[in-house]
């Protein structure tokens, strides 16, 4: 490559080329040494000592490097949260394995309450006395509520809905007094059976439910007995 020519003369000396470069650098940036190891970063002439390092302030903690956040796998966190819920226990204190031992008794009470509701409701439609019909409809409504509580207990114990065996019954009533006598004995027997079942079960919630429904059955028997006293005496 040919050297630059000034004043009609050509100088082959490489040192002359450096002087030309020096003049160019002085016009562009007089304080910048083009032959320094890092001319763009020093800003000082060649051979000048580099400035002192920036002092470190005492007591200043270095910023922590942020760590990547690891997200749990999809579904793992939700499953762990559900496992900690009170109702997620495999064998809870109420309506658990102890209640499952009483399932046949529970089903029998359910069918009995449903059948008793159908009987008293049909009897209420067939009597003319307003007071008797009103009492029978109230008993039928309370027996339906009892059946719903038993159905809820069945679901809490098994996790399945109870399917009642619906039967078409041919109900015949000889007389009102005879029909009420049959209702009384049925309610009194239900109260006794509820009491026995409450004493035998090891499930505390089922025991409380049986005790409550037993008292209700005995109350029905007392109401029917009071009604019969006005009818036959």
């Amino acid at each position: 490559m040919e050297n630059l020519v000034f004043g009609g003369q050509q100088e082959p000396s490489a040192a002359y080329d450096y002087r030309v470069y020096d003049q160019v650098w002085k016009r562009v940036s007089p304080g910048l040494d083009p032959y320094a190891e890092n001319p763009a970063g020093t800003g000082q002439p060649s051979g000048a000592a580099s400035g002192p390092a920036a002092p470190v302030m005492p007591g200043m903690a270095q910023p922590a490097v942020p760590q990547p956040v690891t997200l749990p796998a999809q579904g793992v966190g939700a499953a762990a949260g559900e496992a900690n819920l009170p109702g997620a226990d495999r064998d809870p204190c109420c309506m658990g394995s102890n209640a499952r031992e009483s399932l046949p008794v529970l089903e029998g009470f359910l069918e009995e309450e449903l059948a008793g509701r159908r009987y008293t409701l049909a009897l209420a439609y067939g009597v003319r006395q307003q007071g008797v019909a009103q009492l029978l409809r109230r008993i039928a409504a309370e027996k339906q509520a009892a059946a719903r509580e038993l159905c809820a207990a069945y679901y809490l114990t098994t996790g399945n809905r109870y399917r009642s065996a619906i039967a078409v019954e041919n109900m015949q009533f000889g007389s009102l007094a005879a029909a009420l006598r049959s209702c009384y004995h049925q309610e009194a027997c239900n109260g006794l059976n509820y009491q026995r079942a409450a004493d035998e079960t090891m499930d505390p919630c089922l025991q409380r439910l049986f005790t409550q429904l037993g008292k209700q059955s005995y109350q029905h028997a007392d109401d029917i007995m009071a009604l019969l006293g006005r009818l036959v005496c």
Side-chain angles (χ1 to χ4, degrees):
M1 180 176 180
E2 296 181 355
N3 295 326
L4 296 177
V5 178
F6 289 91
Q9 296 181 358
Q10 183 175 2
E11 288 289 342
S13 174
Y16 185 83
D17 292 343
Y18 288 112
R19 289 195 297 270
V20 174
Y21 298 151
D22 292 342
Q23 294 175 3
V24 175
W25 277 104
K26 288 179 181 179
R27 289 197 300 268
V28 176
S29 182
L32 185 64
D33 184 4
Y35 308 111
E37 294 181 0
N38 187 13
T42 60
Q44 298 179 358
S46 177
S50 60
V56 179
M57 299 299 293
M60 296 294 292
Q62 297 296 327
V65 179
Q67 299 296 328
V69 179
T70 304
L71 297 178
Q74 185 177 3
V76 175
E82 293 177 359
N84 294 328
L85 295 178
D89 192 356
R90 293 182 179 271
D91 191 14
C93 60
C94 278
M95 305 300 177
S97 58
N98 290 332
R100 283 191 289 271
E101 296 178 359
S102 302
L103 274 181
V105 177
L106 183 62
E107 294 173 358
F109 283 140
L110 242 170
E111 293 295 338
E112 182 62 35
E113 293 292 353
L114 292 174
R117 173 186 175 272
R118 292 191 295 267
Y119 185 86
T120 53
L121 199 58
L123 184 59
Y125 289 143
V127 298
R128 298 180 179 179
Q129 293 89 336
Q130 187 65 24
V132 176
Q134 185 176 0
L135 173 63
L136 293 175
R137 284 194 296 268
R138 178 176 65 81
I139 292 177
E142 291 176 352
K143 294 182 79 64
Q144 183 179 13
R148 288 176 176 172
E149 290 189 70
L150 292 169
C151 186
Y154 181 89
Y155 179 80
L156 289 172
T157 304
T158 64
N160 300 319
R161 296 174 180 267
Y162 180 76
R163 302 297 180 183
S164 176
I166 300 177
V168 178
E169 301 168 344
N170 185 16
M171 299 181 184
Q172 298 180 355
F173 309 106
S175 64
L176 178 58
L180 291 176
R181 180 173 180 267
S182 177
C183 289
Y184 169 84
H185 285 296
Q186 189 62 49
E187 293 298 323
C189 289
N190 286 347
L192 178 61
N193 291 331
Y194 274 126
Q195 184 176 352
R196 288 177 176 174
D199 294 338
E200 293 176 359
T201 183
M202 299 299 295
D203 187 273
C205 295
L206 204 57
Q207 182 182 36
R208 185 176 59 180
L209 177 61
F210 287 163
T211 301
Q212 171 190 342
L213 296 181
K215 292 179 179 179
Q216 179 176 277
S217 296
Y218 276 127
Q219 184 60 51
H220 291 166
D222 292 342
D223 294 340
I224 294 173
M225 184 176 182
L227 179 59
L228 277 172
R230 296 195 298 269
L231 292 177
V232 299
C233 298

